[in-house]
Amino acid sequence: MLRTAVIPSFLALTIASLGACTQPAATATPEPPVRIEPTAPQLVAETPAPESEPTPAVDTREVTTMTLPPRPDWTDKYAGSAHDERFFDIAALMQAHDLDRARAVELQNHFRDLTRADPRGDRQAQYDEALRRAKAGEFEDGRDPRRLATAPFIVVFDLDDTLYDQYMEPAIAPSCHDIAWAEEPSSGAKGKQHFVKLTPGWADAIHRIHALGGAVVLFSANADDLCYANFTRWELDGVPITEHPAIAAVMTNSHLVLQPKHAGSPVVEPSKDLRIVDPELTRAIIVDDNPLRLFQFRNTRVFQKFKGGAYCTTKDPAAKRAYEQALKVVVDEIEGSLRYAKAHPGVSFVDAYLPYTTLGRIAVDWLVSGTGRTPAKAIAYLRQHPELASPKF
């Protein structure tokens, strides 16, 4: 808030006083004495000394000490939510409660679920229950821990604008969708239809990754309720997507994290942390259209946004084909990287896939422009010298 300072001016009084001092003294004429009548004494009430403000009590409950300071409202487009959507210091949770990273993030997820179910509940009691669930290995994401721990590689897929588009133009969506469901009516009005268009080749991509021995994880930054409303209508091989054997875990908004600088590079935008499925970051990549929700760019494959309305209405055959081949290209890259890793013992899947990631592509372009190599030869050279790619931005 801007405060306007009021500064009294003494300039006129100062000039007048100075003028009086410089005038010659005049001959004083005696004035007759003035009689002052006695008056009743005036009582001046004494202003009591202000009492010192009491020092507010410091909230030392664990739920508070583990909570990261809230971000300013102007930095958060979701600010003002009616729910308690605090972020915890994940590294502190891990140390205080001897949790691995996945369980620490799941504690945050359970806490949010509990506070949504009982907004007036005692926060420390809800924290304690969330901790109990996390320690017990209760994962809302339906993960298969053994599968994630042993899979030779893991592909994490973003949802919005990557595997589907659920925000198409109203005039196009009714004739351009694969999933439709009625939204809950509000204010007594009839609920409108919600339409979702799946990216061409999505099912084949998941099938191929599964056949290669990989684990597929779905990870959206969108709100829990909307994601699960889509999941209940989305099927693969006639099976709900979240129950299909190819899907190893499903995560949503409450699995996003922030990270203070004492735990590594600061993460100030709620982001997806791949360490909750691959602690060493040697087996997992993420395919995502929005790098702003990511921070492990050595493992990030940026994906061209899928726009269902544009796909359904374009008259450009090149654009149509690009939409239809986009996921196939990603899986071709994965398959080629697996062959390379198998042929070169000691090379991790992430190092083999490095040329296709955000930081890897920068290094490939650098090698092409600086050495005259073809893109294919630059990719081969980077795989032999992965240290040439920057580890982070």
Side-chain angles (χ1 to χ4, degrees):
M1 177 184 295
L2 295 176
R3 299 180 183 272
T4 303
V6 179
I7 305 175
S9 173
F10 297 98
L11 184 58
L13 290 174
T14 303
I15 292 173
S17 299
L18 289 174
C21 292
T22 58
Q23 294 299 319
T27 303
T29 303
E31 294 288 341
V34 178
R35 179 179 174 81
I36 301 176
E37 297 294 338
T39 58
Q42 300 296 313
L43 300 179
V44 180
E46 293 186 3
T47 303
E51 296 182 4
S52 59
E53 292 291 333
T55 303
V58 177
D59 189 346
T60 58
R61 296 179 303 167
E62 194 164 39
V63 66
T64 302
T65 59
M66 292 295 174
T67 298
L68 292 173
R71 298 179 301 150
D73 282 0
W74 65 268
T75 69
D76 183 2
K77 68 180 181 179
Y78 299 112
S81 169
H83 304 301
D84 187 334
E85 295 184 344
R86 71 182 68 195
F87 287 90
F88 289 120
D89 184 334
I90 301 303
L93 292 178
M94 294 169 67
Q95 182 175 10
H97 302 300
D98 193 25
L99 300 172
D100 61 21
R101 191 172 300 274
R103 282 176 167 80
V105 174
E106 197 64 23
L107 188 161
Q108 176 180 275
N109 175 57
H110 283 308
F111 177 82
R112 292 188 177 191
D113 288 343
L114 290 163
T115 58
R116 277 196 292 268
D118 184 8
R120 296 179 179 276
D122 179 82
R123 293 296 185 254
Q124 183 60 48
Q126 291 166 331
Y127 175 91
D128 293 340
E129 172 59 15
L131 174 60
R132 185 199 66 75
R133 294 182 185 184
K135 283 190 169 183
E138 297 180 21
F139 286 95
E140 189 182 49
D141 60 25
R143 69 173 50 211
D144 182 340
R146 186 197 62 80
R147 178 111 172 275
L148 289 171
T150 59
F153 69 102
I154 301 167
V155 181
V156 181
F157 280 110
D158 170 56
L159 296 182
D160 284 300
D161 295 338
T162 299
L163 285 191
Y164 60 52
D165 181 5
Q166 62 177 328
Y167 299 111
M168 292 177 289
E169 301 85 340
I172 299 173
S175 60
C176 175
H177 65 270
D178 298 294
I179 301 170
W181 48 273
E183 296 182 8
E184 288 294 325
S186 59
S187 303
K190 181 180 179 181
K192 65 178 182 178
Q193 288 289 102
H194 188 87
F195 298 103
V196 182
K197 180 63 180 175
L198 297 168
T199 305
W202 70 272
D204 186 58
I206 293 175
H207 283 144
R208 286 180 63 191
I209 292 168
H210 186 55
L212 290 167
V216 174
V217 173
L218 306 180
F219 198 164
S220 173
N222 214 324
D224 295 13
D225 292 345
L226 182 57
C227 290
Y228 279 95
N230 289 329
F231 293 155
T232 58
R233 284 93 174 174
W234 183 10
E235 294 184 348
L236 176 59
D237 303 326
V239 178
I241 191 71
T242 57
E243 299 174 18
H244 195 281
I247 306 301
V250 176
M251 288 171 281
T252 56
N253 184 271
S254 292
H255 291 94
L256 302 178
V257 301
L258 299 179
Q259 179 171 281
K261 62 183 179 182
H262 68 73
S265 297
V267 177
V268 297
E269 181 72 17
S271 298
K272 302 167 185 176
D273 187 349
L274 297 180
R275 290 174 294 181
I276 62 180
V277 296
D278 176 20
E280 303 303 322
L281 295 176
T282 58
R283 296 177 298 121
I285 62 168
I286 185 167
V287 182
D288 200 316
D289 71 286
N290 183 9
L292 295 179
R293 293 287 190 182
L294 308 170
F295 62 100
Q296 291 143 342
F297 294 105
R298 202 175 185 274
N299 302 67
T300 297
R301 190 352 178 134
V302 175
F303 189 76
Q304 174 72 14
K305 285 183 179 294
F306 171 64
K307 292 300 181 185
Y311 170 71
C312 289
T313 60
T314 184
K315 304 299 182 184
D316 183 346
K320 189 88 167 181
R321 178 170 174 77
Y323 276 128
E324 293 173 345
Q325 295 296 307
L327 284 174
K328 178 183 181 302
V329 168
V330 171
V331 183
D332 287 346
E333 295 166 355
I334 290 169
E335 192 167 3
S337 299
L338 282 172
R339 285 197 299 269
Y340 183 89
K342 289 178 180 178
H344 297 81
V347 175
S348 71
F349 168 70
V350 166
D351 278 348
Y353 191 79
L354 179 61
Y356 305 110
T357 65
T358 304
L359 291 171
R361 285 181 183 274
I362 293 173
V364 167
D365 289 345
W366 172 65
L367 288 169
V368 169
S369 62
T371 66
R373 286 178 167 83
T374 64
K377 289 184 177 180
I379 287 172
Y381 193 81
L382 183 61
R383 282 172 166 163
Q384 296 165 5
H385 303 278
E387 70 280 359
L388 293 178
S390 299
K392 60 183 179 180
F393 281 119

